[in-house]
Amino acid sequence: AQSVTQLGSHVSVSEGALVLLRCNYSSSVPPYLFWYVQYPNQGLQLLLKYTTGATLVKGINGFEAEFKKSETSFHLTKPSAHMSDAAEYFCAAPPNAGGTSYGKLTFGQGTILTVHP
Amino acid sequence: NAGVTQTPKFQVLKTGQSMTLQCAQDMNHEYMSWYRQDPGMGLRLIHYSVGAGITDQGEVPNGYNVSRSTTEDFPLRLLSAAPSQTSVYFCASSHKGAKNIQYFGAGTRLSVL
């Protein structure tokens, strides 16, 4: 079964600095990959997704992620952090890479992003 | 424009009490899921459903029951609440052909004393 690992449970950056949140997946079969964001006391919102095609994926709020099969990674980046980016970010993938997952997702442990003025 | 609606938003239970967390979606999605969120553990799948009348267990199903009598509703029942079930619960739905893109409710924060 697919597993998803996020490196770093907490990341702290200054406003205007680069944001880099790391995610690695386990499957040898390229899966669908997702980043979700959770603002305080809210549900999860889809930030961006990789399904097939272009490996550099652009999402909402200036975030993007690059699918790298050779590194089994899907790291999330944003060139310049804003105070409003402070949230928890989750990387996710279907549990059965290459097969039917019936809408289910396996999530990473989450990374809390703090943005300092 | 409701999407996925969860009720209640907050609940406090005593050990041994039972309750039902409600989830409804108005997008005509075939798939629905329940997750629990605990600090440092991400979201873990409790139960899921691929359509009305069809449910199956996820990663952490013990202590929870579900049913799906309609496409719209997917309630989660705690039979006899335990302190280990203190968590934030999220319901999600997705369209069959949408490549696992899930839409989440706002969550129910449950405390079991």
Side-chain angles (χ1 to χ4, degrees), chain A residues 34 36 38 90 103-105, chain B residues 35 37 90 99-102:
Chain A
F34 307 86
Y36 281 85
Q38 183 182 28
F90 294 94
K104 296 177 288 182
L105 289 173
Chain B
Y35 296 86
Q37 181 183 21
F90 288 100
K99 300 180 179 178
N100 286 79
I101 298 171
Q102 295 208 343

Side-chain angles (χ1 to χ4, degrees), chain A residues 32 34 36 38 41-44 46 49 51-52 88 90 94-95 100-105 107-110, chain B residues 31 33 35 37 40-45 48-50 57 90 94 99-107 109:
Chain A
Y32 300 150
F34 307 86
Y36 281 85
Q38 183 182 28
N41 299 314
Q42 294 187 28
L44 278 71
L46 181 66
K49 64 184 184 293
T51 53
T52 56
E88 188 163 15
F90 294 94
T100 301
S101 294
Y102 301 111
K104 296 177 288 182
L105 289 173
F107 286 85
Q109 300 90 330
Chain B
Y31 301 152
S33 305
Y35 296 86
Q37 181 183 21
M41 303 187 74
L43 278 73
R44 293 179 291 168
L45 183 67
Y48 68 99
S49 169
V50 299
Q57 297 180 351
F90 288 100
S94 62
K99 300 180 179 178
N100 286 79
I101 298 171
Q102 295 208 343
Y103 296 85
F104 285 82
R109 188 175 297 272

Side-chain angles (χ1 to χ4, degrees), chain B residues 4-85:
Chain B
V4 179
T5 302
Q6 290 185 239
T7 57
K9 292 192 185 314
F10 303 95
Q11 183 70 48
V12 179
L13 293 177
K14 295 181 179 179
T15 297
Q17 287 185 314
S18 63
M19 79 159 294
T20 299
L21 280 63
Q22 301 293 344
C23 176
Q25 53 95 5
D26 62 358
M27 298 174 282
N28 204 31
H29 285 169
E30 296 87 352
Y31 301 152
M32 297 186 74
S33 305
W34 276 102
Y35 296 86
R36 59 177 290 172
Q37 181 183 21
D38 302 291
M41 303 187 74
L43 278 73
R44 293 179 291 168
L45 183 67
I46 305 171
H47 286 285
Y48 68 99
S49 169
V50 299
I54 307 171
T55 65
D56 205 348
Q57 297 180 351
E59 182 184 354
V60 288
N62 292 340
Y64 306 95
N65 274 0
V66 292
S67 60
R68 187 137 177 237
S69 56
T70 66
T71 299
E72 295 78 19
D73 300 302
F74 190 42
L76 178 72
R77 283 183 287 277
L78 280 69
L79 307 174
S80 177
S84 61
Q85 294 178 304

Side-chain angles (χ1 to χ4, degrees), chain A residues 48-103:
Chain A
L48 51 80
K49 64 184 184 293
Y50 169 78
T51 53
T52 56
T55 56
L56 182 62
V57 179
K58 295 187 184 298
I60 61 172
N61 301 336
F63 283 92
E64 61 183 33
E66 186 171 11
F67 171 69
K68 291 187 176 180
K69 182 180 178 181
S70 61
E71 299 177 6
T72 61
S73 68
F74 190 57
H75 301 332
L76 181 70
T77 60
K78 182 174 180 177
S80 177
H82 191 273
M83 296 293 290
S84 60
D85 295 327
E88 188 163 15
Y89 293 80
F90 294 94
C91 184
N96 303 322
T100 301
S101 294
Y102 301 111

Side-chain angles (χ1 to χ4, degrees), chain A residues 1-11 20-27 31-35 66 68 71-76 89-95 105-112, chain B residues 40-43:
Chain A
Q2 179 80 260
S3 67
V4 175
T5 303
Q6 291 181 238
L7 300 177
S9 58
H10 290 82
V11 170
L20 171 60
L21 305 182
R22 301 177 187 273
C23 173
N24 289 88
Y25 63 93
S26 64
S27 174
Y32 300 150
L33 292 162
F34 307 86
W35 277 99
E66 186 171 11
K68 291 187 176 180
E71 299 177 6
T72 61
S73 68
F74 190 57
H75 301 332
L76 181 70
Y89 293 80
F90 294 94
C91 184
L105 289 173
T106 294
F107 286 85
Q109 300 90 330
T111 299
I112 296 172
Chain B
M41 303 187 74
L43 278 73

